[in-house]
Amino acid sequence: LLMIKERIIKDLKKVLVKLGFPQVEPVLEHPAVEVHGDYSTNIALVLAQKEKKNPLGLAEKITTNYKLLTTEYMDHLEVAPPGFLNFWLKTDYLSRQSNEVIKQGDDYGKVVMPKSKSGVMAEFAHPNTHKAFHLGHLRNIILGEAIARILESQGIKVYRTNYQGDVGLHVAKCLWGVRLKIKNEKLKIENLKTIEEKVRFLSKAYIFGNKEYNDNPEARKEIEDLNIKIYQSDPEVKNLWETTRQWSLEYFDQIYKRLGTQFDRLYFESEMARPGKEIVRKYLKKGIFEESEGAIIFPGQKYGLHNRVF
């Protein structure tokens, strides 16, 4: 069955063909004010402007011919100045459609298409490990999951992926704070039992590390050195990094479950950094990237974008 909006457009096109307007695509919208009907179109105004005709007279012609069609959904159709067509749907038809939505559930509106090996990759969420999940991540997940479900409803295979920063200065700040808190407060991370306790501890450690990085030159130097060790998978820090990263991932999984989403593949910056550098070096030689002030950049300004450090 066609959706009601598509039914109205299909019938409207029949009328327009009859009046000598083939290959016209009417636009149907919900009026901002309820008294103007369930749907409204300005097609008479659009055509009248092109054909140099009276829009109100053209709207009346469209209405007269539309009423000749047999439609089980239409209660009445009216013309409103300067040439709008306003549609009211039958209450019992809407009730039947509501019952159909309840009956079909998540299958309502789905399109059955031949299965294909190819699909669409939807990348969303992107929370960085060792940091708190925030409202921006929530918005990102809702949008990404909504798009994924719309695509799936049309028979498209969707691969949900998630790119996460599990290395970088934010991780170094956090781990520096973790180490100092363990030392100064004589804590043992094994005593942190629940995921809530672990994430709360990580959050406090990051806030502490971030403050010291900004206020304390000695701490800044230690954090920057630690950052290099994390990138190099130094044995001195690797075990702590892996343990605390896992805490973040378990914490994120709890949120994903609450939101009804899941991912087919997690991509981490730690695994992408090395091959990413190789790609940049390769295309530096080919002129895609450029050296600038000791860094390698993509000169995006040439293409109406911005220069980006790689």
Side-chain angles (χ1 to χ4, degrees), residues 2-172:
L2 290 170
M3 298 292 101
I4 183 61
K5 186 175 181 179
E6 293 172 317
R7 286 285 304 277
I8 295 172
I9 290 173
K10 185 180 177 183
D11 289 338
L12 198 51
K13 286 164 84 172
K14 287 180 185 176
V15 171
L16 293 173
V17 169
K18 185 178 178 182
L19 294 175
F21 302 107
Q23 298 178 331
V24 174
E25 196 64 41
V27 176
L28 210 60
E29 296 179 341
H30 288 292
V33 183
E34 201 172 305
V35 293
H36 292 158
D38 297 303
Y39 285 103
S40 182
T41 181
N42 67 342
I43 189 63
L45 291 163
V46 173
L47 291 174
Q49 188 176 18
K50 286 182 180 179
E51 302 291 328
K52 302 290 189 292
K53 293 187 177 182
N54 178 3
L56 207 56
L58 185 54
E60 292 287 359
K61 279 187 180 180
I62 294 171
T63 301
T64 301
N65 283 274
Y66 201 102
K67 288 177 179 178
L68 296 176
L69 298 175
T70 304
T71 59
E72 78 280 13
Y73 58 81
M74 189 65 63
D75 185 76
H76 64 285
L77 171 60
E78 291 181 1
V79 173
F84 290 100
L85 275 73
N86 296 332
F87 300 81
W88 278 262
L89 304 178
K90 288 181 181 177
T91 305
D92 65 330
Y93 179 82
L94 292 172
S95 299
R96 291 201 305 275
Q97 291 301 300
S98 298
N99 289 334
E100 196 63 28
V101 172
I102 294 167
K103 181 181 174 183
Q104 293 187 30
D106 288 342
D107 290 330
Y108 186 79
K110 279 189 176 180
V111 175
V112 179
M113 296 177 69
K115 286 188 177 181
S116 171
K117 290 182 180 179
S118 62
V120 172
M121 185 175 82
E123 182 195 321
F124 59 97
H126 312 136
N128 291 335
T129 65
H130 300 83
K131 288 182 75 175
F133 193 96
H134 59 71
L135 191 62
H137 298 127
L138 180 63
R139 175 182 180 273
N140 191 300
I141 287 177
I142 290 169
L143 289 173
E145 182 62 23
I147 290 168
R149 292 188 187 191
I150 289 169
L151 291 169
E152 285 175 335
S153 76
Q154 302 309 298
I156 298 168
K157 171 65 179 172
V158 177
Y159 300 92
R160 291 167 174 79
T161 65
N162 190 348
Y163 184 87
Q164 295 168 277
D166 62 335
V167 290
L169 200 55
H170 73 283
V171 178

Side-chain angles (χ1 to χ4, degrees), residues 199-240:
V199 170
R200 199 176 297 118
F201 176 64
L202 279 186
S203 182
K204 288 178 180 177
Y206 171 77
I207 291 168
F208 173 62
N210 187 56
K211 184 178 184 303
E212 290 299 304
Y213 181 85
N214 293 324
D215 299 343
N216 185 340
E218 187 178 336
R220 177 188 287 258
K221 176 68 169 60
E222 290 176 4
I223 290 169
E224 288 174 348
D225 290 343
L226 182 59
N227 190 36
I228 293 170
K229 289 180 179 180
I230 293 169
Y231 269 103
Q232 293 175 340
S233 296
D234 191 304
E236 181 191 331
V237 73
K238 187 176 181 182
N239 186 58
L240 182 62

Side-chain angles (χ1 to χ4, degrees), residues 251-263:
Y251 162 58
F252 296 154
D253 277 341
Q254 287 184 353
I255 296 170
Y256 300 150
K257 285 175 184 175
R258 288 181 64 188
L259 295 171
T261 193
Q262 78 290 321
F263 294 95

Side-chain angles (χ1 to χ4, degrees), residues 129-133 189-204 242-255 257-258:
T129 65
H130 300 83
K131 288 182 75 175
F133 193 96
I189 60 174
E190 304 87 61
N191 293 336
L192 299 170
K193 301 301 181 185
T194 68
I195 194 63
E196 288 76 16
E197 289 176 326
K198 293 171 182 176
V199 170
R200 199 176 297 118
F201 176 64
L202 279 186
S203 182
K204 288 178 180 177
E242 288 178 341
T243 299
T244 50
R245 186 182 87 144
Q246 188 58 35
W247 292 355
S248 287
L249 296 178
E250 289 174 14
Y251 162 58
F252 296 154
D253 277 341
Q254 287 184 353
I255 296 170
K257 285 175 184 175
R258 288 181 64 188

